Amino acid sequence: MTPTPTATLVARDWAEIQERMLVPLYEAVYDRLEVGPGDRLLALDCGAGLALLLAAARGAAATGVEADPARRALARERLLEVLAAPSAVPSPPRPYDALLAFSPTPEALASALPAVRRGGAVVLADWGPAERCTVPSVLGGGPAPGDLDAVVERAGLRPDGSGRVFCPFGYADVDSAVRGLLSTGLYDGASDAALAEKELAEALHPFERPDGTVWLPNIFRYVIARVE
């Protein structure tokens, strides 16, 4: 499937503006797992592949899964191995040591788990406490954090710790903030795209600093579980 021009622009906004906001989360998880040379990682919903690049910089071999054709194309431009769906993941010569599945659907998680070795790590992540996250309030009260512990239990995984990471979303100006937040897909259900963009810009003004930059503090929570 060839991405539409609009989809390509949105994907580039994600890659150039928004994706880097999650670097503190990626790095905290990699530090916790002590990711390094010889490790094999599989990442669901890998976007344009920044999480894979950070893992590769530590010497790990990382494969991604991304359903969006435009984001997948950008990840492949970075010479990354990115597949269209978990069901397309081939049986590796050696099972993966870790699965990064920050906000997976139950179906995607179940499809990917067989590729992870016994004792391998599965990492889930979502928004932290509502009072510590600015973005959900800017988006009109959502998204709400999911119950990561329930996901672990339903998947038959063994809990092995959790943590919280400060992930501020900082932008050069309101226009960049609007483009970055729209690229997350959180506004995809809006019936009037122009109105959604206008409302989002208005909601961001209280977070605009005197120099024109926009600062949105957030806390993310991650959970580590192990494959039995």
Side-chain angles (χ1 to χ4, degrees), residues 9-221:
L9 288 174
V10 171
R12 288 204 175 276
D13 282 343
W14 170 262
E16 296 171 4
I17 300 174
Q18 191 64 33
E19 194 174 25
R20 61 185 173 82
M21 309 298 177
L22 297 177
V23 167
L25 174 61
Y26 301 148
E27 294 287 17
V29 167
Y30 292 161
D31 286 345
R32 183 75 172 262
L33 297 180
E34 299 182 340
V35 170
D39 289 331
R40 293 174 52 82
L41 275 69
L42 178 63
L44 300 183
D45 299 321
C46 70
L50 182 56
L52 306 182
L53 289 174
L54 294 174
R58 292 170 175 249
T63 299
V65 177
E66 176 54 56
D68 181 76
R71 295 189 188 192
R72 191 167 63 246
L74 289 178
R76 287 173 174 169
E77 285 181 11
R78 291 168 163 174
L79 304 181
L80 297 169
E81 181 184 7
V82 180
L83 308 169
S87 58
V89 177
S91 297
R94 178 167 65 84
Y96 292 99
D97 300 296
L99 172 65
L100 306 182
F102 289 143
S103 298
T105 64
E107 296 77 16
L109 181 59
S111 182
L113 282 177
V116 184
R117 66 173 175 82
R118 185 175 182 182
V122 177
V123 184
L124 307 172
D126 210 331
W127 300 101
E131 67 275 10
R132 302 289 302 278
C133 293
T134 308
V135 169
S137 65
V138 169
L139 296 174
D147 189 342
L148 301 178
D149 301 299
V151 175
V152 168
E153 182 176 358
R154 286 195 297 268
L157 301 169
R158 173 171 54 85
D160 190 31
S162 63
R164 292 182 177 181
V165 183
F166 181 54
C167 283
F169 289 9
Y171 306 93
D173 49 39
V174 170
D175 178 67
S176 295
V178 169
R179 289 167 52 203
L181 290 171
L182 288 178
S183 75
T184 64
L186 296 173
Y187 261 96
D188 283 356
S191 57
D192 187 329
L195 179 60
E197 186 173 336
K198 179 177 180 294
E199 290 178 344
L200 180 54
E202 292 175 351
L204 287 168
H205 282 306
F207 304 96
E208 188 176 2
R209 293 175 163 183
D211 62 357
T213 59
V214 175
W215 187 252
L216 302 171
N218 300 289
I219 295 288
F220 278 77
R221 178 176 183 251

